[in-house]
Amino acid sequence: MNAPQETAPPKRLAVAASGGIDSTALLHATARLATPLGIEVHALHVHHGLQPQADAWMHGVAAQCRRWAGSGLAVVFHGHRLAGAPARGQSEEAWARRERYRALVSMAHEAGCDVVLLAQHRRDQAETVLLQALRGAGPAGLAAMPARFERDGILWLRPWLAHPREAIEAYVRHWRLRVVLDPSNVDARFARSRLRTQVWPALQAAFADAEVSLGAVARQAALAHALESEVASGDLATCVDADGLDVAAWLKLSEARRHALLRLWLARELAPGWPQTLVWRLLRELPEAKHARWPAGAAELRLYRGCLRVLPLPDATRHASQPRAIDLSRPGDYSLSPWRGRLRVEPAKEGGVPAAALEHAELRPRSGGERFQRHALGPARSLKKQFQDAGVPAWERDLPLLWARGDLVYVPGLGLDARVRNWPGRPRVRLQWLP
């Protein structure tokens, strides 16, 4: 029997290094342990441009890396200055977090590192759990920060997530490391800073094991979230298809599984930032609704005939107010801008419409009063009635109508008017609307 092969250690890895106590200690400890193993350590520093000391911080971390390299540690410095600033009204914390992550990804790839170490510790984790709880988060939020995750081709590790801050501070004192102090850590404008300076001292005085207990909350929440996601993924396969969410199938689930499925489905269908309160509205309103709409950021949820769909909001340029001449006498795909879709013209041996009749066709928006005949033996009726009978949702009815020789020829969702199929002439073509 062959012995199991051990995974070779990486030749290089990176540490996110702000210059503060935690990341400085992590960078130094990693370099001390990695250098004898032949592993090169890359320090990734992000200059946010939000503090007047930012230049000094970057120069200080770079100088410290040079000193360590001169003493024999395999440390390489990388710095990145963020461009721009938070937009007016945008959260400075959210902007800095997003841009910092992008910068770290970019520097790690440039350095050839597929492993990045982050310096968050046990108290950081406990603070995150509390903040998420105060925001009304569910299991995903209460799970706080994972000890490891993969994203953008990089393995991100938090090796100190279960270690107390006091141990890190003792390490810094022992090795007499130079660190920077970020004033934003005590800036009352930021929720984490208020929690850290105003709430945490009293909480720890009253509950000495608060850090450990809140860390346990995060671990249990992570397990609950994983289980919830696993069950919801199975329900997704039975309740959701290409059209949307089958409400009848969804209603057969327990309330807990309905909630989990909605969260998973909406997270996949909607852009980030969709209102979390939407889940609770749907849980309350969807079981009794027949036809309804719910706003969802840049999209809208629409219920029609038992199917819940996610559709983008129409824009102001979608509709045309004037007829548009078009030649559809030759096979091909034709863009029908400003409508979002194409009309496909294909040769037809039988049925269809004479190609010559479409040489001088017109696209017109609905104006009201149009009549359409779906079947040869059926009467011509209003478009509204025909759409209802065919089960075409209201939001799919505002599409271009094709006219030729003064008659309505084709309606997306309904097809050719039965009367034009009797027009003489060859060659003939058939039409297909492609949303």
Side-chain angles (χ1 to χ4, degrees):
M1 178 181 290
N2 295 329
Q5 296 183 350
E6 295 185 1
T7 303
K11 294 183 179 180
R12 59 185 65 186
L13 56 80
V15 176
S18 68
I21 291 176
D22 309 325
S23 65
T24 298
L26 180 61
L27 178 61
H28 183 263
T30 303
R32 284 181 52 242
L33 295 173
T35 299
L37 300 175
I39 301 173
E40 194 172 67
V41 179
H42 293 254
L44 311 181
H45 179 84
V46 180
H47 183 306
H48 295 82
L50 299 175
Q51 300 287 347
Q53 307 95 322
D55 286 340
W57 294 342
M58 175 178 272
H59 295 319
V61 175
Q64 187 153 248
C65 288
R66 287 195 297 271
R67 288 194 298 272
W68 292 347
S71 67
L73 296 180
V75 182
V76 181
F77 174 81
H78 302 265
H80 182 98
R81 292 173 180 261
L82 296 183
R88 184 169 182 173
Q90 184 182 15
S91 165
E92 186 175 292
E93 287 178 293
W95 176 86
R97 184 166 52 249
R98 184 188 70 240
E99 296 303 317
R100 177 170 59 249
Y101 173 79
R102 290 177 178 173
L104 291 174
V105 170
S106 176
M107 286 189 287
H109 285 318
E110 289 175 3
C113 297
D114 55 11
V115 177
V116 177
L117 307 187
L118 305 172
Q120 288 92 355
H121 48 73
R122 192 171 71 187
R123 187 175 300 175
D124 292 325
Q125 182 76 318
E127 291 171 354
T128 303
V129 172
L130 280 176
L131 288 171
Q132 291 291 348
L134 292 170
R135 292 166 182 157
L142 293 177
M145 297 179 286
R148 58 179 291 151
F149 63 98
E150 294 187 41
R151 188 183 303 164
D152 293 318
I154 296 172
L155 174 62
W156 304 81
L157 301 175
R158 294 185 172 99
W160 286 354
L161 203 56
H163 293 269
R165 179 180 175 84
E166 290 78 8
I168 299 171
E169 292 172 340
Y171 182 94
V172 169
R173 288 193 301 270
H174 176 78
W175 290 97
R176 298 179 181 179
L177 303 179
R178 299 179 185 179
V179 300
V180 301
L181 299 177
D182 187 346
S184 67
N185 289 333
V186 293
D187 191 334
R189 292 180 301 160
F190 305 125
R192 186 177 290 272
S193 298
R194 294 195 301 273
L195 177 65
R196 183 172 293 157
T197 59
Q198 300 173 24
V199 177
W200 190 259
L203 180 64
Q204 194 167 37
F207 302 95
D209 293 332
E211 276 188 23
V212 176
S213 298
L214 290 169
V217 169
R219 291 191 295 274
Q220 293 180 60
L223 291 173
H225 176 58
L227 179 60
E228 179 186 86
S229 298
E230 187 175 325
V231 173
S233 295
D235 290 336
L236 193 73
T238 59
C239 297
V240 176
D241 58 21
D243 292 329
L245 176 69
D246 183 337
V247 176
W250 176 76
L251 286 172
K252 293 178 182 178
L253 304 176
S254 67
E255 183 177 358
R257 289 170 65 179
R258 291 182 201 173
H259 178 273
L261 176 55
L262 281 177
R263 290 184 64 85
L264 178 62
W265 181 59
L266 292 175
R268 293 186 180 186
E269 294 292 323
L270 298 176
W274 57 275
Q276 300 293 320
T277 54
L278 179 60
V279 174
W280 298 107
R281 281 197 64 189
L282 291 171
L283 283 171
R284 184 176 63 253
E285 300 172 9
L286 191 54
E288 303 298 329
K290 300 300 181 185
H291 304 296
R293 298 183 176 190
W294 292 269
E300 187 176 63
L301 295 177
R302 297 178 181 178
L303 174 65
Y304 184 76
R305 294 194 174 183
C307 184
L308 185 65
R309 299 172 173 87
V310 177
L311 297 169
L313 291 175
D315 56 55
T317 63
R318 182 174 178 180
H319 309 292
S321 58
Q322 299 296 325
R324 169 189 161 192
I326 188 169
D327 181 356
L328 298 174
S329 60
R330 298 178 181 82
D333 285 1
Y334 295 81
S335 172
L336 303 188
S337 177
W339 289 281
R340 292 177 177 172
R342 294 170 294 139
L343 198 60
R344 175 167 293 171
V345 180
E346 298 177 312
K349 293 182 179 179
E350 308 230 347
V353 62
L358 302 181
E359 186 175 353
H360 301 288
E362 268 191 348
L363 295 172
R364 302 181 190 175
R366 287 181 64 188
S367 59
E370 297 93 349
R371 299 183 71 78
F372 183 85
Q373 185 172 333
R374 291 182 64 197
H375 307 292
L377 300 179
R381 305 170 68 195
S382 70
L383 273 183
K384 180 179 179 180
K385 289 288 188 182
Q386 299 286 23
F387 279 134
Q388 289 175 340
D389 289 347
V392 178
W395 56 87
E396 293 181 6
R397 301 175 189 176
D398 197 8
L399 296 172
L401 308 181
L402 182 66
W403 293 72
R405 298 177 178 174
D407 291 324
L408 180 57
V409 173
Y410 182 85
V411 177
L414 297 179
L416 282 173
D417 189 294
R419 292 166 292 188
V420 307
R421 294 188 179 120
N422 296 323
W423 287 358
R426 289 192 176 274
R428 304 182 74 82
V429 294
R430 62 173 174 263
L431 305 173
Q432 180 184 5
W433 168 252
L434 304 174

